[in-house]
Amino acid sequence: MNSQASLPQKVKVVEVGPRDGLQNEKDTISAAVKIELVDRLSRAGFTNVEAASFVSPKWVPQMATSAEVMAGITRLPGTIYSALTPNMQGFEAALASRADEVVIFGSASEAFSQKNINCSIAESIARFEPVARAAKANGLRLRGSISTAFGCPYQGEVPLDAVADVVRRMRDLGCDEIDIADTIGVATARKTQEVMLAAAREFPLQQLSGHFHDTYGQALANIYASLEVGVQIFHSSVSGLGGCPYAKGATGNVATEDVLYLLHGLGIDTGIDLDQVVDAGQFISQQLGRKGASRAGNAIAAKRLG
């Protein structure tokens, strides 16, 4: 039972480590390691794992094995395996790989959109229209991700109206879920609530998700602030993997282990086994040859060793 009556009783945690987390690693990670990571996370109880990205290997070399990964994972019933699809070529590859959900992406910052994908926000959304139509025609879930919703490395402040505008555009494409992302980790609790409530004016709150980076150490505070206004979906990355190749200085996504420790401590049901996630975090950290970035994960692992 959740002791905080105002907070959601149940929360969906979307694991993004295998895609958003690993895409920035410079050393090539084998498909076998990625498959093992996805399978460990599936077994831990995640109902949504972001497993692949069908972008040009020229831009994101680490994701070149995505088709191999999708072919090799052990799919569990009721688990959504998502793939990032920037265009129709990516969509066709995701469809062939039997992705359950395709993810399209845009920015709330005009400056970031130009720097990231060399076009305006309106142009970027227009490019996704055929992808959105194809996803619906093939019975796939469609998720929209909005970067720099809380601040931009190039333009600074991002107006609330700009966020709401992109949410509206994503809604009109038929998105089932929309991510509100703090790409550079600058959000604070009050700003988080303002942005989430602005987004909720255009799209059902229960279908909005918070995607927070921990650059300034505020991610958990921002998740709690989101819970207070009714957000029920959050993205996190096992062992705190990741960053953003187009946002200098942005550290990783908030660590899944830390998020679960917070949610479980609040009596919120996630359906996820924290111990198994700690194991998955230790596994991928060993493969990468470094200590994981999750404070809760490292503390739990150390406690086991006595």
Side-chain angles (χ1 to χ4, degrees), residues 81-245:
Y81 296 92
S82 310
L84 199 71
T85 54
N87 49 36
M88 278 307 293
Q89 188 178 348
F91 174 80
E92 294 295 346
L95 186 64
S97 78
R98 296 192 301 120
D100 303 294
E101 175 181 72
V102 295
V103 184
I104 58 176
F105 49 93
S107 172
S109 155
E110 204 60 70
F112 193 81
S113 184
Q114 292 288 352
K115 288 273 191 180
N116 193 356
I117 48 178
N118 301 313
C119 67
S120 70
I121 292 170
E123 287 169 331
S124 74
I125 299 296
R127 287 180 187 178
F128 285 123
E129 287 175 4
V131 176
R133 282 197 301 270
K136 290 299 167 185
N138 285 278
L140 271 61
R141 274 177 56 97
L142 179 67
R143 174 150 61 84
S145 190
I146 302 175
S147 61
T148 59
F150 300 86
C152 170
Y154 308 112
Q155 77 175 52
E157 282 288 314
V158 175
L160 293 176
D161 286 349
V163 178
D165 177 61
V166 184
V167 170
R168 184 166 54 248
R169 292 170 187 264
M170 290 278 194
R171 177 199 70 201
D172 291 347
L173 286 178
C175 287
D176 298 289
E177 217 167 90
I178 297 176
D179 319 328
I180 311 298
D182 185 14
T183 311
I184 55 172
V186 294
T188 53
R190 185 168 291 172
K191 171 80 171 181
T192 293
Q193 292 183 337
E194 290 172 353
V195 171
M196 289 300 187
L197 291 172
R201 291 201 297 268
E202 303 295 340
F203 195 70
L205 185 62
Q206 66 271 22
Q207 291 163 253
L208 290 170
S209 56
H211 180 118
F212 295 101
H213 285 224
D214 208 29
T215 316
Y216 287 81
Q218 300 299 298
L220 291 178
N222 294 335
I223 287 172
Y224 190 88
S226 301
L227 289 167
E228 286 187 319
V229 295
V231 177
Q232 301 169 34
I233 310 169
F234 296 96
H235 292 195
S236 61
S237 179
V238 63
S239 198
L241 297 170
C244 177

Side-chain angles (χ1 to χ4, degrees), residues 250-273:
T251 54
N253 298 288
V254 63
T256 303
E257 300 92 321
D258 298 355
V259 174
L260 293 174
Y261 190 79
L262 170 70
L263 295 174
H264 294 173
L266 290 167
I268 294 173
D269 177 26
T270 64
I272 298 164
D273 186 317

